[in-house]
Amino acid sequence: MNFAWLKRSMPKGLYGRAALILVLPIAVLQIVLAIVFVQRNFEGVTDQMMRSAALELSYLSALVEDAPDLEAARGEIAPVADALAIDWALPGEEMRGYRRAFYDISGRVVILRLEEALPNLRAVDLASSLRRVTLQTETPHGPLTLQFDRRRAAPSNPHQLLVLMGILAIVMTGIAFLYLRGQLRPITRLSAAAEAFGRGRVVPYKPSGATEVRAAGHAFLDMRSRIERQIEQRTLMLSGVSHDLRTPLTRLRLGLSMLTDESEAEDMLNDIAEMETMLGTFLDFARGEALDDPQKVSPAGLATSAVENGQRAGGTVSLGRVPPDEVQVTLRPLAVERALANLVGNAIRYAGKAEVSVQVGERAVVFTVEDDGPGIPEDSREIALRPFARLDTARNQDKGSGVGLGLSIAFDIARGHGGTLRLGESERWGGLRADLVLPL
């Protein structure tokens, strides 16, 4: 059997599923108890009470039928009916059919027992008054109408148990919901802390709740500490390597500058400059976004700064559509500036002109850098995001040099914010379109 439709209709959140697990058994239990009570207890008691009342009604009907005339019948039934507290009328106003309210559960049993005890039964009225039973039989002296208290035919206030069960179920379910919320709150806090850490933010978190939740919380804190130590060690290692390599490179540059033949030293000086650029790029990749903390910034200001820096570097960079300066979001400004600088730098290196634009939505802010260059083929875009990847066939390497870390740094910063870097084709410019998507 295919239960896919059932899975689609189930709650998606943990709180909804736990509430369903809690409420469903209580509801089923209440329904089963109500059915058992109504069918076995309530209807059974009504059946026993009606059998006793039916004997009295049958006796009164027999007294009327055996009487020789109407006056004798009245004389026979009057003292007995008064003693039994049964109202009577002979002849009574004609009645037809059986009437009962749709919610009158015991009424079906009452009518059934009256039919068995009174062969000449012609009408039963249980709807006009829920506290009285009115019936009419056919006799030789006319229709005999009998009326008596409903409490003699069925238990009084049978709904009290059902109402009590319902009220207790609601109260206990409410208490269980409060307890359930308290038990799920530590899980929600753990989820929020993990999500914030995935976006590059470290929020205070202390394990609490059940033993299993506390164990998961301590495991998360240990994992977070190990990741932070690993990032710190990577940064320190590459910083140390960069510092150690800059010293001999500086000595080489100094030695080359003392040569009398500048033509011989020019190529080697260019190689040294390129090596220094590579070391700086490696260090930027290792640092990632660890240099600043999240704060409220203007996305338009970040985009404007990236455009101005690109223009100062000699590129043709323009500012596209951006939100007002009053719009602010929580980001790591230095990290985002570094990512935009790499995207704009790539656009300047491989294209003639570029444009930077910003869109702020309810759930994310998107920085877009478009250029009119050769672009990147669709099957190579995933490779372009990898560290040290250089797509010689897709980009014109004669226009600049690089180590293949520009897009990787931007992608790493986006993932540090919990977002991503999407590469596509620019519809306006015809070149590469890079969307830096950062969730809010």
Side-chain angles (χ1 to χ4, degrees):
M1 297 180 65
N2 187 5
F3 292 98
W5 62 271
L6 183 60
K7 293 181 179 179
R8 290 193 298 268
S9 61
M10 289 294 101
K12 301 299 185 294
L14 178 60
Y15 186 79
R17 295 187 177 186
L20 182 63
I21 295 174
L22 173 68
V23 172
L24 188 61
I26 295 178
V28 172
L29 179 62
Q30 294 292 321
I31 293 174
V32 171
L33 289 178
I35 293 176
V36 171
F37 170 74
V38 170
Q39 288 186 347
R40 296 190 178 182
N41 294 357
F42 185 37
E43 293 186 359
V45 173
T46 302
D47 183 73
Q48 294 178 4
M49 297 178 68
M50 269 307 301
R51 289 182 185 276
S52 177
L55 292 176
E56 300 173 354
L57 298 174
S58 177
Y59 179 68
L60 293 177
S61 179
L63 288 178
V64 174
E65 291 178 358
D66 295 340
D69 53 35
L70 179 60
E71 292 300 326
R74 289 177 175 177
E76 292 287 342
I77 193 177
V80 179
D82 292 342
L84 295 176
I86 298 177
D87 299 331
W88 61 277
L90 182 67
E93 185 178 351
E94 288 194 6
M95 299 169 55
R96 292 291 180 183
Y98 303 151
R99 297 178 56 204
R100 69 181 179 91
F102 70 93
Y103 54 84
D104 189 356
I105 302 175
S106 62
R108 182 180 61 85
V109 180
V110 172
I111 295 174
L112 181 62
R113 294 296 168 257
L114 290 176
E115 287 180 333
E116 293 177 354
L118 303 172
N120 297 326
L121 184 67
R122 59 187 296 182
V124 178
D125 185 7
L126 302 176
S128 299
S129 176
L130 296 178
R131 297 186 177 184
R132 305 288 290 178
V133 177
T134 304
L135 61 99
Q136 191 173 87
T137 63
E138 189 67 39
T139 68
H141 310 294
L144 172 63
T145 302
L146 301 174
Q147 190 178 72
F148 59 95
D149 196 334
R150 179 67 180 267
R151 288 175 295 181
R152 298 175 59 180
S156 60
N157 299 325
H159 60 282
Q160 289 183 349
L161 178 59
L162 299 178
V163 173
L164 181 61
M165 290 169 54
I167 293 176
L168 287 177
I170 294 174
V171 172
M172 298 306 296
T173 302
I175 296 174
F177 266 109
L178 295 178
Y179 181 76
L180 178 63
R181 179 178 296 180
Q183 294 299 309
L184 293 181
R185 188 178 293 113
I187 301 177
T188 305
R189 293 178 56 249
L190 175 59
S191 175
E195 183 178 4
F197 184 66
R199 295 183 177 183
R201 299 192 295 268
V202 179
V203 299
Y205 171 73
K206 180 179 180 181
S208 60
T211 304
E212 293 79 1
V213 181
R214 288 176 180 268
H218 287 295
F220 165 73
L221 291 178
D222 293 341
M223 179 194 67
R224 188 170 71 177
S225 299
R226 287 195 298 269
I227 293 176
E228 290 175 344
R229 287 197 301 270
Q230 181 182 7
I231 295 175
E232 183 179 0
Q233 290 173 358
R234 185 186 70 170
T235 303
L236 292 176
M237 180 187 68
L238 290 181
S239 297
V241 171
S242 175
H243 179 270
D244 293 341
L245 290 179
R246 287 181 190 276
T247 301
L249 287 177
T250 302
R251 290 199 299 266
L252 287 175
R253 180 184 293 276
L254 180 61
L256 291 174
S257 63
M258 299 176 65
L259 293 178
T260 56
D261 190 354
E262 294 182 358
S263 60
E264 295 180 0
E266 183 177 359
D267 293 337
M268 289 184 286
L269 288 173
N270 291 336
D271 291 338
I272 293 175
E274 184 175 353
M275 292 178 65
E276 290 177 342
T277 302
M278 293 171 62
L279 290 176
T281 306
F282 292 155
L283 187 58
D284 287 341
F285 179 71
R287 287 174 179 170
E289 54 175 329
L291 296 181
D292 60 337
D293 296 323
Q295 56 183 287
K296 288 284 187 178
V297 294
S298 171
L302 295 177
T304 303
S305 177
V307 170
E308 293 175 351
N309 293 335
Q311 292 174 349
R312 282 195 294 268
T316 305
V317 186
S318 60
L319 184 65
R321 185 177 180 181
V322 296
D325 292 334
E326 293 77 14
V327 178
Q328 293 190 343
V329 296
T330 303
L331 298 173
R332 295 180 180 267
L334 295 181
V336 175
E337 286 181 1
R338 184 181 299 118
L340 292 177
N342 280 277
L343 296 178
V344 173
N346 279 358
I348 294 175
R349 182 178 300 114
Y350 300 113
K353 56 183 179 179
E355 181 184 81
V356 181
S357 59
V358 184
Q359 291 183 353
V360 179
E362 295 182 358
R363 305 179 62 180
V365 55
V366 181
F367 295 88
T368 301
V369 179
E370 300 179 86
D371 61 49
D372 61 347
I376 297 178
E378 184 176 357
D379 56 353
S380 301
R381 291 169 187 169
E382 184 178 354
I383 301 176
L385 298 177
R386 300 175 183 174
F388 309 106
R390 299 178 63 180
L391 306 177
D392 296 343
T393 59
R395 310 290 263 185
N396 186 0
Q397 299 296 326
D398 295 334
K399 292 187 177 182
S401 60
V403 294
L405 287 176
L407 295 178
S408 299
I409 293 174
F411 186 41
D412 190 54
I413 292 174
R415 288 189 301 179
H417 282 78
T420 187
L421 177 64
R422 296 195 301 251
L423 302 181
E425 182 179 353
S426 174
E427 297 181 357
R428 294 180 52 210
W429 299 76
L432 180 66
R433 174 190 175 101
D435 292 327
L436 185 68
V437 183
L438 307 177
L440 300 178

